[in-house]
Amino acid sequence: MSSSDPKARPKPGPWPPAPDSAPLPPSSWAKRTGFRPKFSGETNASDSGQITLTHRTKELDTQPDLEAGRTRTIPPPTLPPPPAHQPVVNGETEKVPAAGSNKDQSVKRRKESDKGLGVNGNGNGNGSDPVGQPDPNQQPPRRASRNEDVVVVDGVDDDGFVARHSHMNYNLRDTPGLVPIGLYGFQHYLSMLGSLVLIPLVIVPAMGGSQEDTSMVVSTVLFVSGVTTLLHTSFGSRLPLIQGPSFVYLAPALAIINSPEFQGLTGNNFKHIMKQLQGAIIIASAFQALLGYSGLMSLLLRFINPVVVAPTIAAVGLSFYSYGFPLVGSCLEIGVLQIVLVISFSLYLRKISVFGHRIFLIYAVPLGLAITWAAAFLLTEAGAYNYKGCDVNVPASNIISEHCRKHVARMKHCRVDTSHALKSSPWFRFPYPLQWGTPVFHWKMALVMCVVSIISSVDSVGSYHASSLLVAARPPTPGVLTRGIGLEGVTSVLAGLWGTGTGSTTLTENVHTIAVTKMGSRRAIEVGACVLIVLSLVGKVGGFIASIPEVMVAALLCFMWGMLAALGLSNLRYSEAGSSRNIIIVGLSLFFSLSIPAYFQQYGISPNTNLSVPSYFQPYIVASHGPIRSKYVGVNYVMNTLLSSNMVIAFLFAVLLDNTVPGGKLERGVYEWSEREAARRDPDVAKDYELPFRVGRVFRWVL
């Protein structure tokens, strides 16, 4: 009876600050899997824009509501309050900030049902559940200020979605004004300068092209990138993703360039090889468009998960190790300086802000390039690379002096006055289709590129998902995703017709750039694309980029390829990265992606073999000496080329193991996409992804 005496019972309190609303339900996958987080992390956006884990509320009992057609939440029994200032989160206690504290005022509860988003792979980090009907009595939350990091405490909104971070300065449909849009758009493209222009600086010299040819290809790449980006933001996924020449296409392009039939050609090798590349890219792009618009891509989505995407994209970056530093070593003082500067800007100085912008982090590549170029110019003018009686313009085969032969390579790579691309470039030049001639089609090269287009689509799937978590209301539906892949195929056909040397696809670096610049406005990307088209018409711009010394290009590529490998592995944050299953799958995929191609590349080559290409291009001549030697020459070419490709081996191992080794959806990090019918009921999802000008009527199977 003493327990019923009011005087004998302990008095509750003092109470922690009251929450904004009643306890919120967990997402449906948590109900199905019974997931309970084993740890709790501090919820905030990191300095680089990375999304981190949120706290979770205690799960509620649910039962189906047959009248409403949706799950009804039953609140749990009332429990005694925790000690003062010690609220319980996930079975753990957490300190409550003192009242009036301004330090933690940035921690807000996001109650927008139209802003659902997973924030980490160990939570519901890669998608969402079906959309419920919005509460008409719900008060709209206060919009965060531009510089305020709004984060989630309880993580789940009224519809079972995990609320997203609002640390972006501008989201997908924001239009801040013409001047800010122009500045942010140009900043976005400038921060991705390396991804846009470095590929032509590699493949054109490999094809035997002149500096003038390089200048024209660079201008063409800028033009096609601007046009295809406008098409993608209007009729593709509609996410703020820049389209351009992807590194995914670089290795197969180099393999085609170094095909046996092109060895020993005389005359204009560049145009002859470029037409072969164009034909292969056009056929592969048509295949990719069919893959997307037919809906087949939505079937492949079942097999494409973060554990597949991560090693595949990482292998793309790691595969170029033989090209990077070996070429930097031709002029160590310039190449190492370039690498040190870019690393210093992007890591050690990344938190330094100027007028509210982290210029060193955002502009690490262009700033490092400018400073290194200036240093190389001063060394050249000071005579550091002058050798008596030696002329860098004389071909090496015509040099008689042993003294000059010893130093001619150093002069060629270290001096900045050896290029005449800027002087010879016209002020105005309009890139036009078939400018190199009529494309030539060979089935074996086209088949290699078709496989590459699948890898490119896998890369784009990861980029769509990650970028939508940052800027959109919810992830796209499978229909929107396949629509984006289909349009990438169409835009790659345009790249093949114009002759950029590679296909046009979503650049992997988009996600990092969006997170760092905090700019997710679609309009800013479109304005930047228009600026890019205008710059492509100025021939001197292409000539200026083409005159970047080769050693600086190699140094920048060392950073870009390392960044690409890291961005690929970052997809593991949407899965349980500490799972032994995932660790083994990713480890095996990466190891065999390096080891198996090495076997193919070294097969039949003795130490005394006199190679017809530089050592850094040796991995791409495997078609002439690979281990597969049947009576069908074309089959030999295709199999030797594909099995010597690092990204193909990584993809095959990852997709096979991930889809055959048992594992839960949470452990695998299966991508969650918005459901079609649920997205139709959500006006914000429709505004994010619907096609303009009622074009969506043509595609009845998407939004």
Side-chain angles (χ1 to χ4, degrees):
M1 297 298 292
S2 61
S3 61
S4 62
D5 185 2
K7 296 182 179 180
R9 276 187 274 178
K11 295 182 179 181
W15 296 95
D20 293 345
S21 64
L24 301 173
S27 53
S28 63
W29 63 263
K31 301 172 193 174
R32 294 193 300 268
T33 61
F35 168 69
R36 294 178 183 274
K38 300 178 182 177
F39 56 88
S40 59
E42 182 180 354
T43 303
N44 207 338
S46 67
D47 295 330
S48 62
Q50 181 60 47
I51 300 175
T52 54
L53 185 68
T54 60
H55 294 298
R56 290 291 171 147
T57 56
K58 186 174 182 179
E59 289 191 21
L60 306 181
D61 295 331
T62 59
Q63 68 181 36
D65 188 340
L66 300 180
E67 293 181 358
R70 58 180 293 181
T71 301
R72 183 161 56 93
T73 302
I74 306 298
T78 305
L79 300 176
H85 304 295
Q86 296 291 325
V88 176
V89 180
N90 290 333
E92 300 178 2
T93 58
E94 182 181 86
K95 293 183 180 180
V96 177
S101 173
N102 295 326
K103 180 178 180 180
D104 295 325
Q105 289 300 315
S106 62
V107 180
K108 305 293 183 182
R109 182 187 302 273
R110 300 292 294 186
K111 288 286 296 171
E112 299 175 83
S113 64
D114 61 331
K115 300 288 186 179
L117 173 68
V119 293
N120 192 286
N122 295 302
N124 188 13
N126 49 5
S128 52
D129 296 317
V131 184
Q133 295 295 333
D135 185 0
N137 298 323
Q138 182 177 330
Q139 295 295 327
R142 178 182 66 84
R143 182 178 178 85
S145 62
R146 294 300 184 195
N147 297 323
E148 180 180 5
D149 288 347
V150 180
V151 294
V152 181
V153 175
D154 289 331
V156 186
D157 67 10
D158 291 340
D159 294 324
F161 283 86
V162 180
R164 71 182 174 90
H165 291 270
S166 185
H167 66 284
M168 303 293 293
N169 289 338
Y170 298 102
N171 291 320
L172 183 61
R173 287 179 279 118
D174 288 346
T175 306
L178 183 60
V179 174
I181 277 182
L183 293 177
Y184 275 112
F186 184 72
Q187 163 191 279
H188 200 90
Y189 281 86
L190 189 61
S191 64
M192 298 182 65
L193 178 67
S195 302
L196 287 171
V197 303
L198 292 182
I199 289 182
L201 303 185
V202 174
I203 64 173
V204 175
M207 288 188 281
S210 63
Q211 296 170 349
E212 290 74 16
D213 294 328
T214 304
S215 172
M216 290 189 288
V217 174
V218 168
S219 297
T220 303
V221 165
L222 296 179
F223 178 82
V224 172
S225 178
V227 172
T228 55
T229 300
L230 288 175
L231 289 174
H232 189 81
T233 55
S234 300
F235 305 107
S237 70
R238 306 218 68 200
L239 291 167
L241 300 173
I242 296 176
Q243 308 294 296
S246 172
F247 288 117
V248 173
Y249 286 93
L250 180 56
L254 290 173
I256 292 176
I257 290 170
N258 291 284
S259 297
E261 53 263 43
F262 300 147
Q263 302 299 324
L265 288 178
T266 58
N268 196 335
N269 297 355
F270 166 71
K271 288 188 176 181
H272 179 77
I273 300 176
M274 177 62 84
K275 289 186 290 185
Q276 308 280 341
L277 272 178
Q278 287 181 265
I281 291 169
I282 290 173
I283 294 178
S285 303
F287 169 75
Q288 186 180 15
L290 178 64
L291 193 68
Y293 286 126
S294 66
L296 292 175
M297 191 64 200
S298 60
L299 300 178
L300 294 179
L301 287 179
R302 303 176 184 179
F303 308 102
I304 300 174
N305 300 311
V307 180
V308 175
V309 175
T312 302
I313 304 308
V316 175
L318 296 176
S319 63
F320 297 106
Y321 67 91
S322 64
Y323 182 92
F325 204 83
L327 202 56
V328 171
S330 61
C331 187
L332 277 174
E333 63 269 28
I334 301 299
V336 171
L337 174 63
Q338 175 80 84
I339 294 175
V340 169
L341 284 174
V342 176
I343 291 176
S344 300
F345 292 154
S346 59
L347 292 178
Y348 296 104
L349 304 179
R350 70 185 189 278
K351 294 185 179 181
I352 298 178
S353 297
V354 178
F355 300 111
H357 296 274
R358 295 183 177 180
I359 59 172
F360 294 107
L361 179 61
I362 297 173
Y363 305 118
V365 170
L367 280 176
L369 177 63
I371 295 174
T372 307
W373 207 341
F377 175 80
L378 292 177
L379 289 174
T380 301
E381 291 299 314
Y385 307 117
N386 292 338
Y387 298 95
K388 185 177 180 180
C390 302
D391 187 355
V392 71
N393 296 317
V394 177
S397 58
N398 296 339
I399 298 177
I400 301 177
S401 171
E402 188 66 27
H403 168 74
C404 292
R405 285 186 178 182
K406 180 180 178 181
H407 297 290
V408 65
R410 181 174 175 81
M411 294 171 64
K412 178 181 178 181
H413 290 98
C414 295
R415 297 181 66 92
V416 297
D417 58 355
T418 59
S419 175
H420 304 287
L422 182 61
K423 295 180 180 179
S424 60
S425 299
W427 278 102
F428 176 81
R429 182 181 182 275
F430 183 80
Y432 56 92
L434 305 180
Q435 56 189 334
W436 316 118
T438 304
V440 178
F441 301 93
H442 284 296
W443 71 267
K444 60 180 183 180
M445 298 178 184
L447 189 58
V448 170
M449 281 296 184
C450 284
V451 175
V452 173
S453 68
I454 297 177
I455 307 294
S456 172
S457 301
V458 172
D459 183 14
S460 297
V461 167
S463 298
Y464 290 175
H465 183 266
S467 61
S468 68
L469 299 188
L470 290 171
V471 303
R474 288 185 175 88
T477 64
V480 172
L481 187 144
T482 56
R483 186 183 72 197
I485 297 298
L487 189 70
E488 285 192 15
V490 173
T491 55
S492 289
V493 171
L494 298 180
L497 291 173
W498 260 260
T500 60
T502 65
S504 179
T505 185
T506 299
L507 298 179
T508 311
E509 297 82 356
N510 272 293
V511 178
H512 170 73
T513 303
I514 291 173
V516 168
T517 62
K518 299 184 179 181
M519 164 52 65
S521 171
R522 183 162 53 210
R523 294 293 178 226
I525 300 300
E526 292 172 344
V527 171
C530 295
V531 173
L532 206 65
I533 293 174
V534 173
L535 291 177
S536 70
L537 304 179
V538 182
K540 293 295 183 182
V541 173
F544 175 77
I545 296 174
S547 61
I548 299 176
E550 191 176 21
V551 65
M552 295 185 196
V553 173
L556 288 178
L557 286 172
C558 287
F559 176 80
M560 299 299 301
W561 287 329
M563 188 77 167
L564 182 62
L567 289 173
L569 292 176
S570 70
N571 282 275
L572 291 175
R573 70 186 184 272
Y574 302 120
S575 67
E576 286 191 355
S579 164
S580 61
R581 172 193 182 275
N582 296 344
I583 290 174
I584 294 173
I585 291 175
V586 173
L588 289 176
S589 300
L590 285 177
F591 174 78
F592 284 111
S593 74
L594 297 175
S595 186
I596 292 178
Y599 164 73
F600 276 79
Q601 294 161 6
Q602 297 170 10
Y603 187 88
I605 296 182
S606 63
N608 298 325
T609 302
N610 186 16
L611 300 175
S612 58
V613 297
S615 59
Y616 46 81
F617 282 148
Q618 177 182 337
Y620 310 108
I621 61 172
V622 67
S624 61
H625 61 79
I628 298 179
R629 301 181 181 181
S630 68
K631 62 180 181 179
Y632 302 104
V633 179
V635 173
N636 298 342
Y637 178 92
V638 172
M639 296 304 297
N640 284 322
T641 302
L642 290 178
L643 294 179
S644 66
S645 174
N646 306 79
M647 61 183 177
V648 173
I649 299 298
F651 174 73
L652 292 177
F653 266 84
V655 76
L656 176 64
L657 295 176
D658 185 52
N659 290 280
T660 56
V661 177
K665 293 184 65 176
L666 176 64
E667 184 181 20
R668 298 174 63 195
V670 176
Y671 286 136
E672 296 285 348
W673 308 100
S674 298
E675 295 185 5
R676 177 184 175 186
E677 293 303 323
R680 286 181 183 274
R681 299 194 300 267
D682 190 336
D684 284 310
V685 175
K687 290 178 182 178
D688 282 346
Y689 299 112
E690 69 179 355
L691 297 176
F693 313 119
R694 300 184 178 180
V695 179
R697 295 181 177 180
V698 180
F699 305 98
R700 296 292 183 181
W701 42 273
V702 289
L703 276 176

